Amino acid sequence: DGSGRLADFGVARVLAARPASRARAFSPAYAAPEVLEGKIRLPSDLYAFGVVLYEMLFVRLPFVGPNLEALKRERRFPAPSALLGRPTPRVDAFFAGLFEPSARRRRPQVGRLRAALAALDELIA
């Protein structure tokens, strides 16, 4: 019907009940590569945001398969251009930057996200 749903509150309940488990409770499909290695950083949230945004726009997860770690490390996901059947270079670059395996090289940087979201104008242009 076109409406959205916010889910995964089960993880929040586990975290509230067992604070010691906080570093290990996450949804693998949305987790940055460093999170899968047990290292949570601010760019980890940027990566997860990218997965949520990709899923909202393209109605599918970017990384799907039996070996999520390898897919994420190698950035093997369908580019927006391929999904849309037309070139969207700024959108492709936007998601490639969000899905950068290295937290240090992930783009855009957190403070520049608002400006980078302008790349999504290509989707409606």
Side-chain angles (χ1 to χ4, degrees), residues 36-70:
L36 298 174
E37 297 169 0
K39 302 171 191 165
I40 300 172
R41 300 187 174 125
L42 186 57
S44 305
D45 288 339
L46 193 59
Y47 191 100
F49 170 75
V51 174
V52 170
L53 185 59
Y54 187 99
E55 186 176 21
M56 287 172 56
L57 293 171
F58 305 111
V59 196
R60 59 159 290 150
L61 288 168
F63 303 98
V64 178
N67 190 343
L68 282 178
E69 287 182 56

Side-chain angles (χ1 to χ4, degrees), residues 63-77:
F63 303 98
V64 178
N67 190 343
L68 282 178
E69 287 182 56
L71 293 171
K72 290 178 177 196
R73 187 174 49 252
E74 298 166 11
R75 271 195 284 187
R76 283 192 282 149
F77 67 97

Side-chain angles (χ1 to χ4, degrees), residues 46-125:
L46 193 59
Y47 191 100
F49 170 75
V51 174
V52 170
L53 185 59
Y54 187 99
E55 186 176 21
M56 287 172 56
L57 293 171
F58 305 111
V59 196
R60 59 159 290 150
L61 288 168
F63 303 98
V64 178
N67 190 343
L68 282 178
E69 287 182 56
L71 293 171
K72 290 178 177 196
R73 187 174 49 252
E74 298 166 11
R75 271 195 284 187
R76 283 192 282 149
F77 67 97
S81 291
L83 296 173
L84 296 169
R86 63 183 168 90
T88 55
R90 290 178 51 214
V91 178
D92 291 353
F94 175 73
F95 282 104
L98 287 173
F99 298 147
E100 165 62 47
S102 167
R104 270 187 251 115
R105 293 194 313 255
R106 197 162 295 139
R107 296 289 180 262
Q109 294 172 334
V110 175
R112 297 183 178 157
L113 181 60
R114 180 184 293 171
L117 285 169
L120 299 181
D121 285 344
E122 282 187 35
L123 294 177
I124 56 173

Side-chain angles (χ1 to χ4, degrees), residues 3-13 26-27 30 52 55-56:
S3 63
R5 305 274 189 279
L6 187 59
D8 216 350
F9 291 109
V11 171
R13 284 191 206 106
F26 57 84
S27 296
Y30 299 87
V52 170
E55 186 176 21
M56 287 172 56

